[in-house]
């Protein structure tokens, strides 16, 4: 017994010595360092474009575009220098992105870009001619959206004021090809708000491979109800109105059209008599006369892929998928150069895998199989006759790289532990590989198509040194086991999680815990990949004496369909059970104070933290909810109905899992944060939550950021927000 006491004393003394040493050596992490000066930001390869020769690639460096050789990594030449990008009014254009024509003679460069919603922007576009070294504006009629070269490089199509225009670069003539565009009524060539947000695309027009036609979507929003937001900019606030279809409400009617350059005529494609549907993707096949159209029913559990004849508009079905839950829309549909086959991904066998079909709609074979998900399809190389993809085959928390041939033979490409991504050359002979872990910032390297590393391009050595200076301490992965966490078939599953302990961690002490949660369908926070911003804030909190934990509850991604889709019709139910189970698990650890456990989440995570402090009132002492959905009836229909169906069909599912209906249970401290100009999760969610809290006589803390959207940023906003949240956690979770 005496020997044990001596060893314990030595352990405590050694731990104390390490604590003192760490405190003396490490710099203090400040919120300003994370969100203002951004000294912890990782470097990346900016503006990366593989060039057609398959031997070179372009990147943006200090406002110029440089071309590098894959084989040697040496600078071949400067495609365009920053000094050449001078607008007619003598102002310098700040190069942040660009598009190359297919013959690589012309550049499209956006300038003076303004954000519309999450993905959409409008800009003044310029064309830079690499042959004449001249810069000219694309159009003088006002800012443009989505400017895109025709494949032959002679035309540029763009959207302005909800109409599609085509600029002939040879004649300098601008032609308007649609005329009925009208705000909050008709949209041509781009998407409405809900398609942009939930189907993740904005460009809704596409050039045929031979440059003769443009296929586009038209949105008739006339029956969609409007939502109003107030901007506080002047003596009298400005009212902003846009179309936002909430759960159970009318959508825009979306139709498909094909404009023919030679005839000047527009063909209306007949996609069926049922108009209460979605057209989540259209795109040309390798045949300039065949347009692919994806049609999804309102419940989003039936996906059909059609080929439309561009001359007649007749449809031919080549793919049909039913799912008992829902079908996720991706960009995986790829038509092969042989003109006879296509690749598509599906969860039909319980995991997301790749399938080969012919254009008659016949399944040729399933290309990938196993109890793991394909997470990204990079493309097909006709030269190597292989498909390149990313998968969570080793662990749901990791991503590795693979190839598979058309017979289904899979070959590993990069199996490094952590997160691996690839940017392939035009012919797939080379790829730029990015690799990171949760504790190691990205390293960019050049590899050949067998995965062999040729050289390092960027290693983020500066950031690695900064991590050492500031005493970075590693996140640790573990699993949470609980007999109540089961799949629909009754089988028990564990939950993946990570934990960050203070550098001065003492196993004898009792620590407050902050659980960081997102938890939404298919999403993950427990990834072995570099994150940045929030993770540095968690480092700062750990330095202040907190243990920080994150968990991927049931409903999150990369663990197969059963794990992801078991929350169907009951969003929030199982996620909250898992969040509470996590808190109870932590309460049983010797070094955790069970009376000081809090939650923080943003968006879906804010929804989860609100459910945690209500349904889990006995285990959570405090909660921060940033931009939360508080009632699923207030959110958009594509997202909400995908997982919950319409409220008219599933009223109980909506109401039982909306925090607004459970505020009477709150016992702890609740901080509610929202941006007043949040076009995504409306400020209405906060207002109605406040009404419910007041009616239940529950005290809470509130911060509204005027004119800020869902991201709550701009100026000093992020610094202010994270200081607010830090102070709240110290007040509510530290020992009194």
């Amino acid at each position: 017994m005496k020997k044990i006491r001596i060893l314990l004393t030595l352990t405590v003394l050694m731990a104390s010595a390490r604590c003192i040493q760490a405190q003396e050596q490490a710099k203090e992490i400040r919120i300003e360092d994370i969100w203002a000066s951004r000294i912890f930001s990782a470097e990346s390869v900016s503006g990366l474009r593989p060039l057609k020769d398959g031997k070179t690639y372009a990147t943006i460096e200090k406002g110029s575009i440089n071309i590098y050789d894959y084989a040697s990594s040496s600078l071949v030449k400067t495609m365009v220098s920053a000094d050449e990008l001078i607008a007619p009014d003598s102002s310098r254009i700040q190069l942040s992105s660009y598009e190359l024509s297919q013959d690589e003679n012309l550049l499209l460069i956006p300038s003076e870009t303004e954000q519309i919603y999450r993905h959409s922007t409008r800009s003044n576009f310029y064309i830079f001619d690499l042959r004449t070294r001249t810069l000219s504006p694309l159009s003088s009629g006002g800012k443009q959206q989505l400017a895109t070269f025709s494949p032959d490089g002679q035309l540029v199509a763009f959207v302005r004021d909800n109409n599609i225009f085509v600029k002939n670069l040879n004649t300098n003539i601008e032609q308007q090809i649609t005329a009925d565009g009208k705000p909050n009524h008709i949209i041509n060539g781009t998407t409405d708000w809900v398609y942009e947000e939930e189907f993740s695309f904005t460009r809704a027009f596409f050039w045929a491979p031979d440059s003769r036609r443009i296929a586009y979507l038209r949105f008739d929003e006339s029956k969609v109800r409007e939502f109003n937001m107030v901007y506080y900019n002047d003596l009298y606030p400005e009212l902003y109105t846009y179309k936002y279809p909430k759960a159970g409400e009318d959508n825009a009617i979306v139709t498909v059209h094909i404009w023919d350059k030679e005839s000047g005529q527009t063909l209306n494609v007949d996609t069926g008599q049922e108009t209460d549907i979605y057209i989540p993707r259209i795109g040309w096949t390798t045949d300039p006369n065949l347009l692919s159209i994806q049609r999804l029913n309102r419940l989003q559990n039936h996906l059909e892929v059609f080929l439309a004849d561009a001359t007649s508009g007749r449809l031919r079905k080549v793919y049909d998928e039913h799912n008992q839950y829902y079908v996720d829309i991706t960009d995986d549909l790829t038509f092969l150069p042989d003109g006879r086959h296509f690749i598509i991904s599906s969860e039909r066998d319980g995991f997301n895998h790749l399938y080969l079909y012919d254009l008659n709609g016949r399944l040729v074979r399933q290309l990938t199989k196993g109890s793991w998900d394909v997470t990204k399809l990079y493309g097909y190389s006709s030269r190597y006759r292989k498909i390149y993809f990313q998968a969570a085959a080793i662990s749901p928390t990791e991503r590795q790289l693979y190839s598979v041939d058309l017979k289904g033979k899979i070959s590993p490409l990069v199996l490094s532990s952590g997160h691996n991504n690839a940017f392939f050359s035009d012919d797939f002979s080379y790829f730029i590989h990015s690799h990171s872990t949760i504790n190691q910032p990205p390293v960019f390297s050049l590899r050949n198509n067998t995965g062999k590393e040729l050289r390092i391009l960027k290693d983020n050595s500066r950031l690695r040194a900064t991590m050492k200076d500031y005493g970075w301490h590693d996140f640790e992965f573990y699993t949470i086991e609980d007999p109540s966490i089961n799949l629909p078939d009754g089988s028990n599953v564990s939950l993946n999680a990570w934990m960050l302990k203070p550098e001065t961690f003492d196993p004898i002490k009792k620590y407050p815990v902050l659980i960081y949660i997102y938890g939404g369908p298919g999403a993950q926070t427990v990834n072995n990949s570099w994150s940045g911003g929030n993770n540095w804030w968690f480092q700062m909190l750990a330095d202040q004496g907190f243990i920080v934990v994150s968990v991927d509850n049931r409903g999150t991604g990369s663990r197969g369909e059963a794990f992801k889709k078991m929350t169907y019709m009951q969003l929030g139910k199982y996620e909250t059970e898992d969040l509470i189970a996590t808190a109870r698990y932590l309460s049983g650890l010797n070094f955790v104070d069970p009376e000081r456990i809090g939650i923080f989440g943003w968006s879906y995570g804010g929804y989860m933290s609100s459910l945690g402090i209500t349904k889990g009132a006995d285990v959570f002492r405090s909660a921060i909810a940033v931009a939360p959905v508080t009632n699923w009836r207030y959110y958009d229909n594509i997202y909400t109905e995908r997982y919950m169906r319409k409220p008219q069909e599933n009223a109980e599912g909506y109401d039982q899992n909306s925090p607004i209906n459970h505020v009477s249970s709150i016992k702890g401290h609740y901080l509610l944060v929202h941006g007043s100009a949040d076009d995504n999760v409306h400020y209405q969610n906060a207002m109605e939550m406040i009404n419910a809290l007041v009616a239940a006589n529950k005290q809470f803390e509130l911060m509204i950021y005027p004119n800020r959207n869902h991201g709550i940023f701009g100026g000093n906003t992020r610094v202010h927000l994270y200081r607010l949240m830090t102070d709240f956690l110290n007040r509510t979770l530290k020992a009194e």
Side-chain angles (χ1 to χ4, degrees):
M1 182 63 74
K2 184 176 182 181
K3 184 181 290 185
I4 292 173
R5 288 199 190 99
I6 293 171
L7 287 172
L8 183 59
T9 302
L10 286 172
T11 300
V12 172
L13 288 172
M14 290 172 66
S16 300
R18 285 196 302 271
C19 294
I20 293 169
Q21 186 179 23
Q23 290 171 341
E24 289 176 350
Q25 292 178 350
K27 295 181 181 179
E28 179 185 359
I29 300 171
R30 303 180 311 140
I31 291 172
E32 291 82 358
D33 296 329
I34 304 171
W35 299 112
S37 65
R38 296 187 178 275
I39 63 173
F40 304 126
S41 296
E43 290 183 295
S44 63
V45 180
S46 177
L48 180 64
R49 294 287 189 283
L51 300 183
K52 285 182 66 177
D53 60 11
K55 299 176 182 179
T56 56
Y57 63 93
T59 66
I60 297 175
E61 296 175 325
K62 298 180 179 178
S64 299
I65 302 175
N66 291 327
I67 297 177
Y68 286 89
D69 180 72
Y70 276 114
S72 66
S73 288
S74 59
L75 176 66
V76 176
K77 64 177 181 179
T78 296
M79 179 184 286
V80 57
S81 71
D83 294 337
E84 295 178 283
L85 299 178
I86 306 298
D89 64 359
S90 300
S91 62
R92 184 180 294 274
I93 294 174
Q94 300 299 317
L95 181 66
S96 59
S97 65
Y98 62 94
E99 181 189 340
L100 266 172
S101 60
Q102 282 196 19
D103 62 9
E104 298 178 349
N105 287 323
L106 301 171
L107 285 167
L108 264 173
I109 301 171
S111 177
E112 301 169 86
T113 299
E114 59 185 75
Q115 202 76 29
I116 303 174
Y117 299 121
R118 185 191 295 266
H119 305 291
S120 54
T121 59
R122 60 174 64 92
S123 308
N124 284 319
F125 280 86
Y126 288 86
I127 296 175
F128 188 83
D129 192 317
L130 293 166
R131 298 159 298 188
T132 62
R133 317 303 296 179
T134 55
L135 183 74
S136 57
L138 172 62
S139 175
S140 59
K143 285 188 174 182
Q144 311 93 45
Q145 294 175 251
L146 306 162
T148 306
F149 285 114
S150 60
D152 62 11
Q154 297 182 34
L155 307 166
V156 174
F158 62 87
V159 173
R160 181 171 55 223
D161 299 330
N162 289 10
N163 283 310
I164 303 173
F165 295 77
V166 172
K167 174 73 171 286
N168 188 311
L169 301 182
N170 296 320
T171 65
N172 213 33
I173 294 174
E174 185 174 295
Q175 179 183 3
Q176 184 171 342
I177 69 171
T178 66
D180 59 348
K182 182 180 178 181
N184 288 335
H185 189 68
I186 301 294
I187 305 171
N188 294 290
T190 186
T191 56
D192 65 355
W193 183 93
V194 73
Y195 265 60
E196 173 178 340
E197 179 66 27
E198 305 305 352
F199 289 138
S200 302
F201 75 105
T202 56
R203 185 160 66 88
F205 69 84
F206 302 90
W207 284 103
D210 62 359
S211 302
R212 175 174 170 171
R213 300 180 178 94
I214 293 177
Y216 65 93
L217 296 181
R218 178 184 183 270
F219 291 75
D220 182 346
E221 296 187 291
S222 56
K223 293 185 178 179
V224 180
R225 296 183 66 179
E226 294 180 343
F227 190 84
N228 298 315
M229 293 192 301
V230 177
Y231 283 87
Y232 303 91
N233 292 320
D234 213 332
L235 182 62
Y236 290 90
E238 175 189 353
L239 186 67
Y240 178 78
T241 301
Y242 70 114
K243 299 284 188 163
Y244 186 105
K246 298 203 174 195
E249 298 289 312
D250 287 339
N251 266 309
I253 295 175
V254 183
T255 50
V256 181
H257 308 270
I258 301 175
W259 173 77
D260 189 302
K261 176 182 67 175
E262 295 182 5
S263 68
Q265 300 299 307
T266 297
L267 175 70
N268 301 325
V269 180
D270 183 3
T271 55
Q273 293 184 345
E274 177 59 69
T275 58
D276 193 14
I277 58 167
Y278 299 113
I279 307 290
R281 296 287 188 273
I282 64 171
W284 293 95
T285 69
T286 54
D287 182 342
N289 293 309
L290 286 179
L291 176 73
S292 72
I293 299 172
Q294 296 184 37
R295 185 172 72 186
L296 189 66
N297 66 331
R298 176 75 182 247
L299 293 180
Q300 301 178 64
N301 57 13
H302 182 203
L303 173 67
E304 300 165 283
V305 179
F306 298 92
L307 297 184
D309 186 306
T311 59
S312 67
R314 287 194 299 269
L315 296 184
R316 175 164 56 91
K317 188 187 295 188
V318 294
Y319 184 80
D320 196 315
E321 178 177 351
H322 292 264
N323 190 287
Q324 62 178 318
Y325 308 108
Y326 55 87
V327 178
D328 277 322
I329 298 300
T330 72
D331 292 315
D332 292 346
L333 178 62
T334 301
F335 291 90
L336 301 192
D338 66 6
R340 295 184 292 112
H341 296 91
F342 66 89
I343 301 159
I344 195 167
S345 64
S346 171
E347 295 177 298
R348 63 176 55 187
D349 77 345
F351 291 86
N352 194 51
H353 283 297
L354 302 177
Y355 295 81
L356 178 66
Y357 278 80
D358 66 26
L359 290 194
N360 293 317
R362 182 178 66 90
L363 173 63
V364 178
R365 66 180 54 87
Q366 182 174 346
L367 296 171
T368 62
K369 297 178 182 179
S371 299
W372 46 270
D373 285 327
V374 171
T375 50
K376 186 179 291 187
L377 173 61
Y378 295 110
Y380 172 76
S381 168
S382 55
R383 177 178 179 181
Y384 299 102
R385 296 184 60 78
K386 287 185 177 182
I387 301 150
Y388 295 87
F389 66 95
Q390 181 198 67
I394 294 176
S395 165
T397 65
E398 305 211 339
R399 302 289 186 272
Q400 280 72 35
L401 307 178
Y402 303 85
S403 67
V404 61
D405 65 21
L406 296 179
K407 299 293 184 183
K409 180 182 178 183
I410 297 175
S411 302
L413 201 60
V414 179
L415 297 180
S416 304
S417 178
H419 190 278
N420 298 276
N421 202 358
F423 305 88
F424 282 90
S425 64
D426 197 63
D427 66 353
F428 288 84
S429 293
Y430 299 96
F431 67 95
I432 290 176
H433 170 232
S434 73
H435 171 260
S436 72
T437 71
I438 196 171
N439 296 308
Q440 297 176 341
V443 172
F444 295 87
S445 62
L446 178 68
R447 294 177 182 254
N448 65 22
N449 77 333
T450 67
K452 180 182 179 182
E453 184 178 288
L454 304 178
R455 62 190 51 81
I456 301 294
L457 302 178
K458 285 184 183 290
D459 63 2
N460 269 298
S461 56
R462 179 198 61 80
L463 181 54
R464 291 170 192 273
T466 301
M467 291 169 66
K468 185 176 181 181
D469 291 343
Y470 282 83
W472 177 276
H473 23 297
D474 285 353
F475 292 81
E476 303 169 11
F477 289 94
Y478 66 103
T479 58
I480 294 173
E481 312 285 345
D482 189 294
S484 68
I485 302 174
N486 299 302
L487 294 181
D489 64 2
S491 60
N492 183 244
V493 289
S494 60
L495 303 179
N496 293 318
W498 55 246
M499 179 181 289
L500 178 67
K501 299 173 184 174
E503 181 69 21
T504 57
F505 177 73
D506 183 344
I508 297 176
K509 290 184 178 179
K510 295 280 189 180
Y511 290 90
V513 172
L514 175 67
I515 299 176
Y516 166 56
I517 189 76
Y518 183 77
Q524 290 179 266
T525 55
V526 184
N527 289 305
N528 192 15
S529 64
W530 184 256
S531 180
N534 265 345
N535 281 6
W536 276 103
W537 183 54
F538 299 148
Q539 293 278 327
M540 190 191 85
L541 292 177
D543 289 343
Q544 294 180 8
F546 290 90
I547 288 174
V548 186
V549 171
S550 192
V551 62
D552 276 349
N553 47 257
R554 285 172 292 179
T556 55
S558 302
R559 296 188 65 173
E561 185 178 54
F563 189 90
K564 181 175 75 172
K565 296 182 180 179
M566 76 165 296
T567 61
Y568 186 62
M569 300 287 279
Q570 299 185 86
L571 279 188
K573 171 179 166 57
Y574 296 106
E575 301 97 306
T576 304
E577 290 177 5
D578 293 354
L579 181 60
I580 293 171
T582 299
R584 294 195 188 283
Y585 165 85
L586 294 169
S587 297
L589 300 178
N590 292 334
F591 51 83
V592 169
D593 186 340
E595 300 299 319
R596 295 188 290 152
I597 298 177
I599 338 161
F600 156 64
W602 197 310
S603 193
Y604 199 99
Y607 161 70
M608 286 299 301
S609 61
S610 299
L611 281 178
I613 199 69
T614 54
K615 288 189 171 185
D618 291 334
V619 294
F620 292 109
R621 182 169 178 175
S622 72
I624 301 173
V626 182
V629 172
T630 61
N631 187 338
W632 282 120
R633 294 173 184 270
Y634 300 154
Y635 200 52
D636 79 63
N637 57 10
I638 292 183
Y639 183 94
T640 312
E641 292 174 15
R642 180 185 301 152
Y643 310 117
M644 297 281 279
R645 295 202 173 190
K646 294 181 180 181
Q648 297 91 326
E649 301 175 63
N650 184 24
E652 184 178 357
Y654 275 75
D655 297 337
Q656 286 301 310
N657 298 295
S658 289
I660 199 170
N661 298 319
H662 301 284
V663 295
S664 60
S665 301
I666 290 178
K667 298 178 182 178
H669 305 272
Y670 181 55
L671 171 60
L672 176 61
V673 179
H674 222 111
S676 72
D678 191 333
D679 60 276
N680 184 355
V681 180
H682 294 147
Y683 181 44
Q684 174 189 19
N685 284 271
M687 294 296 97
E688 296 299 337
M689 187 69 166
I690 293 167
N691 277 336
L693 288 160
V694 171
N697 198 28
K698 295 294 179 179
Q699 296 299 313
F700 61 99
E701 297 183 37
L702 175 70
M703 175 58 70
I704 302 299
Y705 286 97
N707 303 342
R708 302 317 195 274
N709 64 15
H710 195 56
I712 310 183
F713 57 84
N716 195 54
T717 308
R718 281 292 176 93
V719 172
H720 188 279
L721 170 59
Y722 276 81
R723 181 170 290 117
L724 170 78
M725 295 193 297
T726 303
D727 292 345
F728 175 80
L729 293 173
N730 276 288
R731 281 190 290 106
T732 61
L733 291 182
K734 288 291 186 71
E736 297 173 356

